[in-house]
Amino acid sequence: MEQRLTIHSLEEMNQFAKKIRKACFPGCIIGLKGELGSGKTTFTKFLARHLGVTETVNSPTFNILKIYQGVLPIYHMDVYRLEGIGYDYELDDFIYGEGVSIIEWYPFITKMLPKEILEIEISGALGETREIFVKGSEAYNETIKTLSD
């Protein structure tokens, strides 16, 4: 199932993250795609807050992986620098773990990922308006349906 929507403000991004929170379950994977500055980490901050994270969430660009504890463990990954070498970092323990994996630049490690994934592509890095394309397997259909509400 697929859905396109336009986000006009940070508050709308927050509300989008709140809806996506309903799709989060132990072992779910959210793949984020978008240019630098498109809002991948901002989305993750909002989603983490809706999952009960109280600490500061920031980009794991130089760490590759940051782990946060909320109602579920959150594995926030930025795999931009892993194109073609993702297996060297043994991320599968987290990807196939009991938490929520949020993976920025997920296309760089698609060979490591299962088919059950929620893909979110964010475009538009000027101003606050963003175009968002959401696509997911059956496990995410109900959440995707609610995005236009």
Side-chain angles (χ1 to χ4, degrees):
M1 172 163 273
E2 302 174 355
Q3 184 79 255
R4 288 188 185 276
L5 55 144
T6 302
I7 301 290
H8 299 291
S9 66
L10 287 174
E11 180 53 32
E12 287 183 17
M13 180 69 84
N14 183 31
Q15 292 306 311
F16 170 68
K18 187 175 183 178
K19 289 179 180 181
I20 294 297
R21 190 272 178 249
K22 296 174 188 170
C24 296
F25 55 87
C28 86
I29 300 169
I30 299 172
L32 301 177
K33 182 179 175 183
E35 296 299 318
L36 292 171
S38 63
K40 296 179 298 295
T41 301
T42 298
F43 164 79
T44 302
K45 289 178 184 184
F46 287 133
L47 181 58
R49 186 178 327 137
H50 293 297
L51 288 167
V53 173
T54 57
E55 62 191 290
T56 300
V57 173
N58 51 34
S59 177
T61 300
F62 298 105
N63 301 77
I64 310 298
L65 168 70
K66 290 191 177 182
I67 302 172
Y68 302 98
Q69 188 58 54
V71 294
L72 294 167
I74 297 172
Y75 311 125
H76 182 199
M77 301 172 215
D78 183 327
V79 298
Y80 181 78
R81 298 177 355 188
L82 300 185
E83 185 173 19
I85 61 167
Y87 289 102
D88 293 347
Y89 283 84
E90 298 179 11
L91 296 173
D92 52 343
D93 289 344
F94 301 99
I95 293 169
Y96 293 93
E98 292 299 313
V100 175
S101 294
I102 305 170
I103 307 170
E104 297 188 31
W105 302 97
Y106 79 95
F108 290 168
I109 62 165
T110 53
K111 291 179 183 176
M112 294 178 67
L113 301 176
K115 292 181 182 181
E116 296 288 322
I117 180 173
L118 181 65
E119 302 169 62
I120 300 174
E121 183 173 350
I122 305 171
S123 62
L126 298 174
E128 291 186 3
T129 300
R130 302 288 188 267
E131 296 297 322
I132 297 183
F133 177 70
V134 182
K135 179 180 174 185
S137 55
E138 271 188 54
Y140 302 102
N141 280 351
E142 288 304 312
T143 299
I144 293 172
K145 286 179 190 176
T146 67
L147 293 178
S148 60
D149 296 342

